[in-house]
Amino acid sequence: RRQSVDELHMQRLKQASLALHLACWSDADVSHVVELLYAHPECIDAEDDQGRTPIEICKERKCCCLCCRSCCNRNRRAVIAALSKGEEFYRNKQGARSSRSLHQSA
């Protein structure tokens, strides 16, 4: 059975949301999180199975950090700042990036 375009889109969206949540839980580098946001800005407010958004996960992880040097929180703060920009920021940037790449290929 062939999946409809909507089913495929929802499946990709679910995978992208999972990737963003895992990146926040695993303290992935901010550049990786930003890359995910440019690819799928609609995932920025997606909730995990416990009802938490990516920014809530990062804030929770930041508060639980016991690192005396706070080095891991430096990246978390950068990720929180990136997530705080919101979906529209990444959606607009995504459009600008795709139109720039079209002009470069012409």
Side-chain angles (χ1 to χ4, degrees):
R1 175 179 100 103
R2 296 183 75 191
Q3 288 182 314
S4 72
V5 173
D6 288 339
E7 288 173 329
L8 288 173
H9 175 73
M10 290 306 294
Q11 188 177 30
R12 286 189 188 119
L13 183 60
K14 190 179 236 182
Q15 290 170 343
S17 295
L18 178 61
L20 183 58
H21 282 90
L22 289 174
C24 292
W25 268 114
S26 64
D27 301 324
D29 189 71
V30 67
S31 61
H32 177 65
V33 173
V34 168
E35 186 178 307
L36 290 170
L37 291 171
Y38 277 128
H40 298 281
E42 65 276 13
C43 294
I44 202 164
D45 293 322
E47 295 180 349
D48 66 5
D49 58 347
Q50 296 179 355
R52 292 176 296 202
T53 63
I55 198 165
E56 291 170 336
I57 292 169
C58 288
K59 287 179 178 179
E60 182 180 319
R61 301 268 301 141
K62 182 178 170 245
C63 291
C64 294
C65 180
L66 300 175
C67 178
C68 59
R69 296 171 298 175
S70 73
C71 56
C72 50
N73 272 340
R74 190 173 308 124
N75 184 66
R76 285 189 193 115
R77 283 192 297 272
V79 170
I80 289 168
L83 290 166
S84 296
K85 291 179 181 179
E87 179 181 346
E88 282 303 310
F89 174 84
Y90 292 100
R91 192 172 298 286
N92 292 337
K93 292 285 188 177
Q94 181 186 44
R97 289 172 87 187
S98 61
S99 66
R100 194 170 41 238
S101 66
L102 285 174
H103 290 296
Q104 289 174 350
S105 64

